[in-house]
Amino acid sequence: MNSSVPTTRSLNQWCLQHHIQLQFLSIAQLSPRLVSLGMQEPSQAVQRRANAIAKTLCADEWHALVDLEQSKMPHWLAYRIVRYSEMLALRELGARPLGLAATLLLAERKPASAAGGALNLLWQRRSATSHLFPGFYSVLGGGFNPYLNDANPGDHNSPQTTAVRECFEESNLTVTIAPNTWVALTRETDSGAMQINYLGVETDFTGMQADETEGSLHIMPAPEQQEIAGLENFTDLAKGCLYAWRCVGG
């Protein structure tokens, strides 16, 4: 186990070496503030395609697109508000919009006196009908709900709120993110999706209950650092979070 603090360069070199489609933007014991820049005005082409896509959706929710030029990582991220249909339209038209999500890599430490005392991790195996990575193991989490106004504050510009809310919805577990938790900001190089990842958040897995529409839950021993790249049926985000967490002493 390596307890030295990795650089984003070393993390990204590991991703390139192992064909992991993930870019690390920062890693620190600091959760970024989120700052709204208001609505993003779509082009006419994006709006036309978004209108067509919206007719196929059950719900066209609000999402946040990170504006990297207006952000200062890891301290704060600026974002603009769009409809989900607009984000999908941007992707269809060749853009890679930085849709923002927050995730948790959940850990449970068993005391050495317990049978097989060990460090276990909780994964969500995504539903076979999921539109993203069906059947793959991934971290828990989901999209940030942006601040619209005082009457509709979304996740109160708090990525911790997003991560805790999504965790409860997907696992029935209520977690607390400690102030000194390691946080990795990542971007998927194929889609552009961006994540705020809370690494190694410790909790008790007792009482977990999966939302079967999202996927099933699985407890597994934490793999060693040298095993991570070869894990089968794990998303690149899951592998990247695991590797970063191991590098900081997880």
Side-chain angles (χ1 to χ4, degrees):
M1 186 184 302
N2 183 1
S3 59
S4 61
V5 179
T7 64
T8 53
R9 180 178 180 181
S10 67
L11 293 172
N12 289 329
Q13 285 177 337
W14 180 84
C15 289
L16 287 172
Q17 179 184 354
H18 296 287
H19 308 289
I20 305 293
Q21 298 190 63
L22 194 70
Q23 178 187 16
F24 283 84
L25 303 176
S26 71
I27 183 165
Q29 288 176 291
L30 177 68
S31 183
R33 292 190 299 113
L34 299 181
V35 179
S36 174
L37 301 177
M39 299 290 179
Q40 176 165 304
E41 294 296 330
S43 67
Q44 290 185 355
V46 169
Q47 190 62 69
R48 283 196 299 269
R49 184 61 193 135
N51 290 341
I53 292 173
K55 296 177 182 178
T56 69
L57 301 175
C58 295
D60 194 10
E61 299 174 338
W62 295 106
H63 282 254
L65 300 185
V66 175
D67 186 330
L68 289 180
E69 291 186 359
Q70 300 296 324
S71 300
K72 183 179 180 181
M73 292 174 291
H75 303 282
W76 54 278
L77 296 176
Y79 68 88
R80 299 184 186 277
I81 304 167
V82 297
R83 288 285 190 183
Y84 183 54
S85 59
E86 294 169 353
M87 186 166 68
L88 294 179
L90 285 166
R91 287 179 181 168
E92 283 192 11
L93 295 173
R96 290 189 295 176
L98 303 182
L100 184 61
T103 80
L104 292 168
L105 177 59
L106 289 180
E108 181 182 50
R109 293 185 186 272
K110 293 293 186 181
S113 58
L119 176 61
N120 292 325
L121 302 177
L122 182 62
W123 302 102
Q124 180 190 69
R125 188 168 192 180
R126 300 182 66 84
S127 166
T129 59
S130 174
H131 70 289
L132 290 174
F133 308 110
F136 275 65
Y137 295 101
S138 190
V139 289
L140 280 72
F144 164 70
N145 288 340
Y147 176 89
L148 299 179
N149 50 53
D150 289 344
N152 191 354
D155 287 331
H156 299 274
N157 277 334
S158 165
Q160 297 99 320
T161 297
T162 304
V164 170
R165 172 181 56 76
E166 288 284 343
C167 178
F168 182 77
E169 291 173 1
E170 295 174 352
S171 70
N172 198 47
L173 295 177
T174 300
V175 302
T176 300
I177 301 174
N180 63 343
T181 299
W182 284 95
V183 184
L185 303 185
T186 57
R187 177 170 58 182
E188 296 175 0
T189 55
D190 53 349
S191 69
M194 187 166 172
Q195 303 86 19
I196 301 171
N197 307 292
Y198 297 92
L199 307 179
V201 175
E202 295 193 20
T203 191
D204 185 347
F205 296 161
T206 303
M208 71 178 192
Q209 182 176 346
D211 176 354
E212 296 295 342
T213 61
E214 295 281 346
S216 54
L217 297 174
H218 300 264
I219 299 172
M220 301 182 190
E224 296 300 327
Q225 186 171 312
Q226 66 272 16
E227 300 172 332
I228 295 170
L231 291 173
E232 295 184 359
N233 297 322
F234 277 72
T235 65
D236 284 356
L237 177 62
K239 291 180 181 181
C241 287
L242 256 178
Y243 182 74
W245 176 63
R246 279 304 200 189
C247 286
V248 297

